[in-house]
Amino acid sequence: MCMKMESPPSVCSDPGCPVLSGGVTGMTVGVWAIPLHQRPDLLEPCADLVNSEWQRSHGARVHALQKSCQEFPVALVLLQGSGNRDGGDGETLLGHVRLSRVVSRPGSLFVESVVVSKAQRGKGYGRTLMQETECYAKARGFRRLCLTTHDKQHFYAHLGYVLSMPVQNAGVMASFMPMEVLERFSKLPGTDDTQGEVQGGPPPPSPPQIPPSFIGPAPSPLPPPLPPTHPSSLPTPPPLLLPPSALSCHPPPSPPSGLPPPPSIPPPPPPPPPQCPARLVFQTLEETPYRDAKGVPIFWMHKDI
Ligand SMILES: CC(C)(COP(=O)(O)OP(=O)(O)OC[C@H]1O[C@@H](n2cnc3c(N)ncnc32)[C@H](O)[C@@H]1OP(=O)(O)O)[C@@H](O)C(=O)NCCC(=O)NCCS
């Protein structure tokens, strides 16, 4: 249970948050997250942390992290220590995550650059980092976290994320361009603008449960699903959970019949030409139809919080 307390200055005010721990004679020792723009002294170490995973010049990284601001993008840092807002002895920088707005999805945030320092991995801090991120997003009225990953889809699935469709990350553009302008220029075909997502409002009604393997429609800017090149090396796809007709543009064949229809009944009118407004996309945690800008397979995931 996360206690409401002055210090450490966790981003989380949710009494159900499991992040903070312990306390010794008034001095709380724990793990918490804080927006980087509230701790500019951590810019340099944070740049080193992110660069230890994704190499970039130190100056460019600091510059990017300096963009963290209340209006997004927000860089959150995960800290362990005595809870002194201004830093201090014994404080350890454990992790980093960046949050951006999502175009046309006012209730969603895009999560990226999730990293735990190499020395601290495998100790539960990745989970804590994502929990704190959820707390922060929830406290600011957001209801969904979206992300992409090349190879950590099992980690995220373990934390409750599910496979989903692509969204558009507003990135730093949202900090200098009104969202309405971004939305006008950045539309993913087939996406619904409303989706019931209202920042600060009640959560949207749950959509009908779609089997996770079938997500549609596929956005046209992305390359179509690639046929498996080595079928034998791929896992067997799960059984189809939708009737085959739902996956086809063509009408189902007529059931065989031994007798012709009685002459008095006129033949039914020909079916309308098939329309395929949405192409269903097959994806699993092992196989994704999506590719990044370099053509590398990428998994899209989200979690409703
Ligand atoms: C991914 C990363 C953030 C995970 O952090 P971590 O501190 O090692 O993870 P945790 O110890 O908190 O693990 C939390 C849970 O996830 C599980 N888990 C961790 N990594 C996993 C993986 N790759 N696949 C499946 N499960 C995983 C753990 O077993 C643990 O399960 P449990 O709580 O039931 O015991 C960390 O490995 C990292 O920084 N990697 C490099 C950067 C990176 O790839 N980031 C992701 C970009 S999309």
Side-chain angles (χ1 to χ4, degrees):
M1 281 287 263
C2 167
M3 296 142 283
K4 280 202 171 165
M5 53 182 67
E6 288 298 309
S7 176
S10 168
V11 294
C12 185
S13 57
D14 179 350
C17 175
V19 171
L20 297 179
S21 66
V24 184
T25 59
M27 172 68 84
T28 303
V29 177
V31 176
W32 72 97
I34 189 168
L36 184 58
H37 50 272
Q38 292 178 21
R39 284 292 303 272
D41 59 303
L42 294 173
L43 261 175
E44 300 276 337
C46 190
D48 290 338
L49 167 62
V50 181
N51 269 1
S52 70
E53 194 64 38
W54 298 288
Q55 276 301 314
R56 199 174 172 187
S57 86
H58 186 75
R61 186 64 73 186
V62 169
H63 185 68
L65 290 170
Q66 271 172 330
K67 294 200 163 68
S68 177
C69 65
Q70 177 73 3
E71 294 312 312
F72 296 99
V74 169
L76 288 181
V77 287
L78 190 71
L79 298 171
Q80 182 179 46
S82 59
N84 178 353
R85 182 177 276 269
D86 302 320
D89 292 343
E91 191 179 71
T92 308
L93 176 61
L94 298 172
H96 163 274
V97 61
R98 188 171 103 135
L99 294 171
S100 306
R101 300 292 303 271
V102 175
V103 177
S104 296
R105 300 280 188 276
S108 298
L109 286 178
F110 193 79
V111 184
E112 57 192 329
S113 303
V114 176
V115 59
V116 167
S117 80
K118 285 183 178 153
Q120 303 293 344
R121 287 179 196 165
K123 301 176 182 176
Y125 294 128
R127 180 188 280 277
T128 303
L129 178 62
M130 297 309 290
Q131 282 170 340
E132 281 280 275
T133 301
E134 284 176 30
C135 284
Y136 179 81
K138 249 167 126 166
R140 293 202 52 185
F142 294 93
R143 292 288 173 266
R144 175 174 286 189
L145 296 178
C146 307
L147 56 80
T148 59
T149 180
H150 288 118
D151 60 357
K152 295 296 186 295
Q153 64 276 18
H154 294 284
F155 166 69
Y156 292 115
H158 195 57
L159 301 185
Y161 285 77
V162 295
L163 294 167
S164 70
M165 287 167 57
V167 295
Q168 263 180 316
N169 174 5
V172 290
M173 280 187 297
S175 58
F176 56 80
M177 202 183 276
M179 191 56 81
E180 307 80 62
V181 178
L182 272 179
E183 283 171 8
R184 222 173 303 147
F185 291 105
S186 329
K187 281 238 187 293
L188 281 173
T191 55
D192 172 9
D193 270 8
T194 53
Q195 290 252 326
E197 292 183 351
V198 179
Q199 187 178 343
S206 304
Q209 286 303 305
I210 300 170
S213 336
F214 294 101
I215 319 274
S220 56
L222 293 164
L226 297 181
T229 43
H230 304 289
S232 58
S233 66
L234 292 171
T236 311
L240 295 184
L241 297 172
L242 291 177
S245 58
L247 304 175
S248 168
C249 297
H250 305 291
S254 309
S257 162
L259 297 171
S264 57
I265 301 173
Q275 292 182 349
C276 290
R279 189 159 44 88
L280 289 167
V281 174
F282 175 80
Q283 56 180 342
T284 68
L285 288 176
E286 312 296 335
E287 192 183 349
T288 174
Y290 300 115
R291 301 291 180 269
D292 68 9
K294 294 179 184 158
V296 181
I298 195 163
F299 294 85
W300 285 87
M301 305 183 86
H302 76 247
K303 180 177 182 179
D304 289 326
I305 54 177

